[in-house]
């Protein structure tokens, strides 16, 4: 196998090598063999565990709709919402204030998906490889998300400029759009489930748990595609979820201006920070190929509905709330919190940059002015082939096994704090990110332990802290 054939990108906290392990031995790394069993849990789950784990199939859509109702009807107060539910009943509240299907909203979501699919398929972009799947597949992806983001927002701006679209269209029709997005997410999940059984892209990378509902929720196919290159996971998260985030923020800015006669500094700062985060995502889209979403999560309701509905609905709550209820906070407080958000972003970007620099140089780089320290670990795919990975344990990655998560969490709390409210609903995004990243950390490390075995144990000994040293 030549050098180029050994190119393998990394997962969270674990970096794959760019050259054979024999070439690395001269630099005296720790070389340990790993166990071959890794990937999503397969058969053997009890029906109780499967039922509990799959409960978000019902609870998550109800939670997203309830949150929208709480913001729009009950001033963002969960206590008022639950009082109304207690007095009138949940389904009565849902029928009275929940999303009402409209042709306009349905058409808008269909057009949105169609336009993004065309951009995803036709825009030029560099080809990047993902990482080896458990069955040994190495898939390629065309990276053009930044071009798509620019054209999408430019097109939105031009439609508004020529009077063909109200810039506040999304905010004005939010409840109806949420209803249509829920339906679209459900359809996507059902299609993915049927496709996994009838015409899977890579049959040997499927996982069946023995529970139909759990397989529907977590997904069966690892990398479902239409044709050779239209990848469901990259399209759903990048083009339907992340792309919508900034448009929703901008629409709420426009709505606040239309209804209040001004745009509030807090909403401007939130929009700036979240735009920075989203543009960073697309600018470094090839990095996303090495995350747990693409490399390890299977495609089902969790990613399908989650990207189409949950991400746009729940990650934008700060903008939704301020669009309706402007709050007042002294400017120096806002700027202080904004500064924390910038520091958090810098930590997030710096940690990921160190990881990418280390990977692209095959470990031959300086981290914080010193030669990179790492462990070489071996692992096997299901086809019996053996590969090696580099586990970086210096710089941010010697400080914490998930340093990028620390920046991500601090960033989310900063954007929520900019709202200037103590209402729980305002903090929903940061609360969710805490639960998501802690759970992902535990789940990812369990998989890495199974994949790398003793090498992962050695890495944990060298880097004992998961998030913040001294805390966890």
């Amino acid at each position: 196998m030549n050098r180029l054939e050994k190119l393998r990108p990394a997962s969270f906290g674990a970096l794959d090598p760019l050259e054979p392990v024999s070439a690395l031995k001269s630099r005296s790394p720790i070389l340990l063999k790993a166990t071959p069993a890794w990937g999503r849990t397969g058969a053997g789950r009890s029906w109780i565990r499967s039922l509990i784990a799959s409960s978000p199939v019902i609870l998550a859509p109800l939670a997203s709709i309830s949150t929208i109702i709480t913001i729009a009807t009950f001033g963002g107060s969960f206590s008022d919402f639950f009082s109304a539910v207690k007095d009138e009943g949940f389904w009565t509240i849902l029928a009275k204030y929940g999303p009402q299907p409209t042709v306009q909203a349905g058409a808008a979501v269909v057009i949105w998906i169609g336009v993004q699919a065309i951009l995803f398929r036709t825009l030029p972009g560099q080809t990047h490889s993902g990482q080896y799947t458990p069955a040994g597949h190495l898939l390629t992806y065309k990276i053009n998300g930044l071009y798509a983001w620019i054209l999408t927002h430019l097109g939105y701006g031009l439609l508004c400029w020529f009077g063909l679209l109200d810039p506040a269209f999304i905010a004005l029709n939010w409840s109806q759009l949420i209803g249509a997005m829920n339906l679209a997410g459900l359809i996507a999940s059902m299609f993915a489930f049927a496709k996994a059984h009838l015409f899977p892209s890579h049959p040997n990378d499927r996982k069946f748990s023995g529970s139909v509902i759990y397989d529907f929720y977590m997904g069966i196919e690892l990398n479902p595609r239409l044709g050779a290159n239209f990848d469901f996971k990259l399209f759903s998260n990048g083009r339907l979820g992340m792309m919508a985030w900034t448009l929703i923020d901008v629409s709420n800015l426009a709505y606040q201006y239309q209804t209040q006669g001004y745009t509030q500094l807090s909403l401007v700062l939130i929009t700036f920070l979240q735009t920075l985060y989203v543009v960073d995502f697309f600018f470094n889209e090839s990095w996303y190929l090495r995350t747990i979403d693409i490399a390890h999560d299977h495609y089902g309701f969790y990613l399908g509905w989650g990207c189409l509905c949950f991400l746009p609905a729940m990650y934008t709550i700060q903008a939704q709330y301020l669009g309706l209820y402007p709050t007042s906070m002294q400017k120096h407080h806002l700027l202080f919190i904004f500064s924390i958000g910038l520091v958090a972003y810098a930590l997030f970007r710096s940690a990921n940059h160190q990881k990418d620099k280390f990977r692209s140089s095959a470990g031959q780089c300086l981290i914080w002015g010193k030669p990179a320290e790492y462990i070489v670990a071996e692992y096997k795919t299901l086809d019996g082939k053996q590969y090696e990975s580099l586990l970086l344990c210096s710089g941010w990655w010697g400080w914490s096994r998930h340093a990028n998560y620390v920046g991500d969490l601090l960033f989310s709390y900063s954007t929520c704090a900019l709202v200037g409210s103590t209402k729980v609903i305002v903090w929903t995004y940061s609360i969710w990110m805490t639960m998501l990243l802690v759970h992902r950390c535990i789940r990812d490390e369990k998989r890495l332990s199974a994949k790398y075995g003793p090498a992962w144990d050695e890495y944990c000994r060298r880097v004992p802290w998961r998030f913040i040293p001294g805390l966890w």
Side-chain angles (χ1 to χ4, degrees):
M1 180 178 290
N2 62 38
R3 178 182 171 87
L4 293 179
E5 288 173 332
K6 298 286 286 186
L7 291 175
R8 285 187 298 280
S11 62
F12 282 104
L15 296 165
D16 292 339
L18 297 175
E19 56 186 320
V21 69
S22 57
L24 293 170
K25 285 182 179 179
S26 62
R27 294 194 287 276
S28 300
I30 297 173
L31 177 61
L32 295 167
K33 290 190 175 182
T35 54
W38 54 284
R40 201 203 89 183
T41 302
R45 297 179 64 91
S46 70
W47 69 269
I48 295 179
R49 285 185 62 205
S50 297
L51 184 63
I52 293 173
S54 308
S55 60
V57 171
I58 302 298
L59 298 179
L62 294 179
S64 69
I65 293 172
S66 297
T67 301
I68 301 306
I69 293 173
T70 300
I71 294 175
T73 307
F74 297 97
S77 171
F78 277 130
S79 61
D80 290 348
F81 170 77
F82 288 121
S83 293
V85 168
K86 181 180 179 181
D87 294 338
E88 301 183 48
F90 176 76
W91 298 110
T92 300
I93 295 296
L94 192 66
K96 185 184 295 186
Y97 303 114
Q100 301 298 320
T102 64
V103 174
Q104 184 185 43
V109 171
V110 170
I111 291 172
W112 167 252
I113 295 173
V115 168
Q116 292 307 315
I118 292 171
L119 295 178
F120 184 72
R121 184 69 181 86
T122 61
L123 286 178
Q126 293 183 341
T127 299
H128 289 260
S129 295
Q131 73 180 81
Y132 281 102
T133 70
H137 298 291
L138 182 65
L139 304 182
T140 58
Y141 300 79
K142 184 168 69 171
I143 300 301
N144 55 19
L146 186 60
Y147 296 145
W149 186 89
I150 293 171
L151 286 178
T152 296
H153 288 72
L154 181 62
Y156 191 88
L158 289 174
L159 288 174
C160 296
W161 178 266
F162 289 108
L164 300 175
L165 181 68
D166 188 330
F169 172 82
I170 298 174
L172 289 167
N173 298 276
W174 188 233
S175 179
Q176 293 81 7
L177 289 171
I178 285 294
M181 289 155 62
N182 264 288
L183 180 59
L186 180 61
I187 292 173
S189 304
M190 294 171 65
F191 177 78
F193 184 80
K195 178 184 179 304
H197 285 88
L198 301 176
F199 50 101
S201 301
H202 304 98
N204 51 356
D205 264 324
R206 293 181 297 174
K207 282 289 183 73
F208 296 92
S209 69
S211 167
V212 172
I213 189 171
Y214 183 76
D215 287 343
F216 176 77
Y217 172 61
M218 282 304 298
I220 297 171
E221 279 198 90
L222 179 60
N223 299 111
R225 293 187 165 195
L226 288 179
N229 299 310
F230 196 95
D231 187 83
F232 280 29
K233 286 199 287 190
L234 184 60
F235 175 69
S236 294
N237 197 11
R239 308 313 162 81
L240 302 182
M242 298 294 288
M243 194 74 70
W245 194 345
T246 42
L247 284 181
I248 294 167
D249 284 354
V250 168
S251 183
N252 277 284
L253 270 172
Y255 180 76
Q256 187 182 75
Y257 183 80
Q258 290 178 2
T259 56
Q260 304 294 329
Y262 63 90
T263 53
Q264 195 175 21
L265 179 59
S266 56
L267 183 51
V268 172
L269 295 179
I270 289 170
T271 302
F272 179 88
L273 284 177
Q274 294 185 341
T275 299
L276 179 65
Y277 188 85
V278 170
V279 171
D280 177 275
F281 173 89
F282 287 116
F283 188 79
N284 298 283
E285 191 175 16
S286 61
W287 162 84
Y288 183 62
L289 304 180
R290 303 183 289 275
T291 66
I292 193 171
D293 290 344
I294 295 292
H296 305 293
D297 280 341
H298 290 233
Y299 188 84
F301 181 89
Y302 173 76
L303 285 179
W305 178 88
C307 295
L308 266 163
C309 187
F310 189 86
L311 191 160
M314 306 302 285
Y315 286 29
T316 63
I317 284 177
Q318 306 97 304
Q320 295 175 47
Y321 183 87
L322 287 175
L324 291 171
Y325 315 108
T327 58
S328 178
M329 186 187 296
Q330 292 185 357
K331 185 178 294 186
H332 65 276
H333 289 156
L334 287 173
L335 295 178
F336 175 72
I337 297 169
F338 178 72
S339 299
I340 295 176
L342 291 177
V343 170
Y345 167 76
L347 168 58
F348 174 80
R349 170 59 19 229
S350 175
N352 287 322
H353 175 68
Q354 283 184 359
K355 186 166 62 172
D356 283 343
K357 181 173 71 170
F358 173 77
R359 181 181 59 86
S360 63
S361 66
Q364 293 296 282
C365 64
L366 297 179
I367 302 292
W368 287 351
K370 299 178 181 179
E373 299 176 16
Y374 56 87
I375 296 169
V376 176
E378 297 180 356
Y379 68 95
K380 288 183 179 179
T381 53
L382 295 178
D383 58 4
K385 294 181 179 179
Q386 185 163 293
Y387 302 101
E388 305 86 32
S389 287
L390 298 183
L391 308 181
L392 175 62
C393 47
S394 62
W396 288 117
W397 302 95
W399 177 78
S400 165
R401 300 204 294 266
H402 301 274
N404 53 348
Y405 287 4
V406 177
D408 217 343
L409 281 177
L410 185 58
F411 183 89
S412 67
Y413 277 92
S414 299
T415 57
C416 292
L418 282 170
V419 176
S421 173
T422 57
K423 290 183 178 178
V424 174
I425 199 166
V426 168
W427 299 87
T428 303
Y429 169 53
S430 56
I431 293 170
W432 161 251
M433 287 299 291
T434 301
M435 295 188 298
L436 173 70
L437 294 181
V438 168
H439 178 261
R440 177 168 288 187
C441 169
I442 295 171
R443 183 162 58 99
D444 196 31
E445 292 200 357
K446 181 179 179 180
R447 179 191 58 78
L448 290 169
S449 177
K451 181 177 181 180
Y452 297 126
W456 180 253
D457 295 337
E458 172 63 19
Y459 176 71
C460 292
R461 186 190 67 79
R462 296 270 297 271
V463 188
W465 301 105
R466 282 170 162 159
F467 275 28
I468 300 176
L471 293 179
W472 189 52

